[in-house]
Amino acid sequence: MITIRWGHEALEWEFDVTDDGVRRSGTSLPLVEVTTTDHGCHWSSNRLVDTVIGGRLRYRGHRTPSEKDWEVLVLDLHDDVSGLAVEVTFRSPQGVPAVRAEVAVRNEGSAPLRLESVTSLVLGGLTAGPPDSADVLWAENDWNAEGRWRREPLRLSSPDRDGRLADYRHKSAFTVAGKGVWSSNGHLPMGGLTDRETGRTWVWQIEHNGGGWSWECGELGGTGYVALSGPVELQHGWNRVLASGEEFRTVPVSLAFSADGGPDDAFAALTRYRRASRRPHPDHTGLPVIFNDYMNCLMGDPTTAELLPLIDAAADAGAEYFVIDAGWYAEQGESWWGTVGAWQASRSRFPGGLGEVLTRIQERGMVPGLWLEPEVIGVDSPLARSLPDEAFFRRDGVRVADVGRHHLDLRHPAARAHLDEVVDRLAGWGVGYLKLDHNINPGSGTSSREGESPADGLLGHNRAHLDWLDGVLDRHPHLVLENCASGGMRIDHALLSRTQLQSTSDQQHLERYASIAAAAPTAMTPEQAAVWAYPQPEHSLDEVAFTMTNALLGRIHLSGRIADLQPEARALVHEAVAVYKAVRADLPQSVPSWPLGLPGWDDPWLALAASTSSTTYLTVWRRGGEDTTVLKLPNLSHVDVVVERLYPSASPAVAWWRQDTAELTLTLPTAPSAVLYRLTTRGVDG
């Protein structure tokens, strides 16, 4: 037996190489599970594991390529029967207990192989023994109700079935799958497993910008396991024919670990991994304040007359970007929905030209931005007729339509050339910010090419979409891109590794938004979480402070009728922006935690902390219930702490810090109300 040792001080893995294959030490699972049409599973089930090819894979070699700030391991495997060669790549950022995994398979046989599933990562040993005290974590995700984390014992889906049969393997597992075009419609492409007794926790994400993904968590070989995958035949009708010599690469996935710190520590590690693995951009450290005219404001009906006072009010409040949202291209009286595609400025909305408005934004010291829905063409748009059929999603030769739009296939050069022309033209107008929306779900995908399954066509488009984004930023490196899909219907690290911000929701109710804002750092870095703050003239001062506080540990997306606010309300808005600018330099180094647990949709109290090595920012919301709560902050145990209320300065909140238990007792007399605190450490208490 050969033992391969790999990793760094924060993560050390060992792999055993034997005549039976390669296994991570202490587990019985192969590193990859593969099914083809003619090579299925040893054990008939709905699971991704127990595959025949996976069990037959044998070691051919390994290497550890040198890469700055990362440890890399590549394992070469082979199945002599099918002729399939498999390359497994693990990458881990130094000092972070997280791993990124990706698999490439190549047909080295003489006959074609029809792939039906290839896992990106299979990992056993998630629990020290049988998963009796393990809870599975997953996040339901709906329009206006994003990031609703849930938790239940793994034994509910993988019960202990002690009986007379000698083989106790399960036929199912706890499974979550995405479907359609949106990556996070229904569920975030994430999950986790945590031990209630020890705090041992794993959290994972599938880095795919489409709905073709699946993960399962269950019991195998007397321990907990997870299998992560892109599209598969069972869930998505996916297949890919590999001719001799052809290769297929899976979607990347990643996984973070905490030995005893529970979900908070595991999410902190995942946050550090996300920062290490994304494309660098100045926005990640600058964190400019953005005003967007849509939410609870113009709602897709911008005109020069409506925008000019908003531009002045936004500048006075301290905004640094001003984004004109949907409708800027549609003539008045014309639907802004079905005409999208050409992206030319409306003449009737802007009698003096859109340039007049963009210039006003720049004169007030802000960078102009525009809304764009790049992947769709309205059925009534001239582009629907001028672009070739092959540039659109099709199934069986019929162009797909959904809610009055067609969907571009960015593998086609005409589709990509059209979008490149649009972006380059808008950048030439002085636009420095694009809100990239996506509001349709045209089903299973596209079979535009002969013999292609729709799910595989969708995978090809998804990869072309990422390549297009890379091209945009290569040409315009200071352009800021916001990822949006009906709010949070496409929250995934594939897109967030390229785009600078993520729309967290279209939720219009400030109290409901609090739970979305509190949960957002589970799915993205805090500095990428765009949260609406939309004060209204009819809001009470507590409500104005509440909606502003929603965004203070993320990215302020200011909106609402701020030009019509009374002086006291306007002062609260200005104060919030000033506080944000004073603390934002710390946010890109902070990691999140949840002193009251992961936020529940109906919880009366919510809390989100963002901590650096010496400072913890703490947002607490009260939506009802008793007027006092106790927050546990174990990262501040045995240190001297200074507690400061940052916002709102006039809040009647009362806080008391108990050093021996690292607890903050907080009273908020009214509901709804919210407050931001800063807790600064002064040294270690011996």
Side-chain angles (χ1 to χ4, degrees), residues 328-531:
W328 60 269
Y329 46 84
E331 300 301 331
Q332 288 190 294
E334 178 183 69
S335 168
W336 64 264
W337 183 268
T339 57
V340 293
W343 307 110
Q344 296 288 346
S346 167
R347 294 183 298 274
S348 56
R349 292 183 179 277
F350 311 107
L354 180 60
E356 175 189 4
V357 179
L358 300 181
T359 298
R360 180 64 166 270
I361 293 169
Q362 292 170 323
E363 289 174 345
R364 290 307 314 266
M366 297 180 290
V367 177
L370 290 175
W371 179 91
L372 199 66
E373 195 168 356
E375 294 158 84
V376 302
I377 300 290
V379 297
D380 298 324
S381 170
L383 274 298
R385 296 178 291 278
S386 63
L387 288 171
D389 266 352
E390 294 79 11
F392 295 93
F393 274 30
R394 296 181 300 158
R395 292 196 284 273
D396 295 327
V398 178
R399 191 187 295 189
V400 178
D402 183 53
V403 202
R405 275 102 173 270
H406 299 301
H407 198 291
L408 290 172
D409 186 340
L410 290 184
R411 296 175 297 177
H412 194 279
R416 181 154 177 168
H418 161 62
L419 292 188
D420 283 344
E421 184 279 326
V422 169
V423 170
D424 294 348
R425 171 164 43 85
L426 299 185
W429 293 355
V431 171
Y433 185 109
L434 290 175
K435 177 177 178 176
L436 303 179
D437 210 341
H438 188 273
N439 291 304
I440 67 170
N441 187 7
S444 58
T446 177
S447 53
S448 297
R449 300 175 180 180
E450 185 178 355
E452 181 177 62
S453 68
D456 198 44
L458 176 58
L459 177 61
H461 162 77
N462 292 145
R463 287 173 161 165
H465 179 212
L466 297 177
D467 187 66
W468 174 72
L469 289 171
D470 284 333
V472 167
L473 290 169
D474 286 344
R475 297 195 309 278
H476 307 286
H478 294 283
L479 186 65
V480 176
L481 302 180
E482 176 190 343
N483 182 43
C484 179
S486 292
M489 294 296 94
R490 216 157 57 165
I491 298 174
D492 61 76
H493 189 63
L495 287 167
L496 279 166
S497 66
R498 281 122 173 132
T499 59
Q500 288 67 63
L501 293 98
Q502 170 66 53
S503 173
T504 51
S505 187
D506 282 347
Q507 175 58 250
Q508 292 181 257
H509 195 286
L510 58 91
E511 290 185 56
R512 283 299 187 192
Y513 212 133
S515 58
I516 297 169
T522 62
M524 65 202 77
T525 64
E527 63 270 19
Q528 291 180 277
V531 177

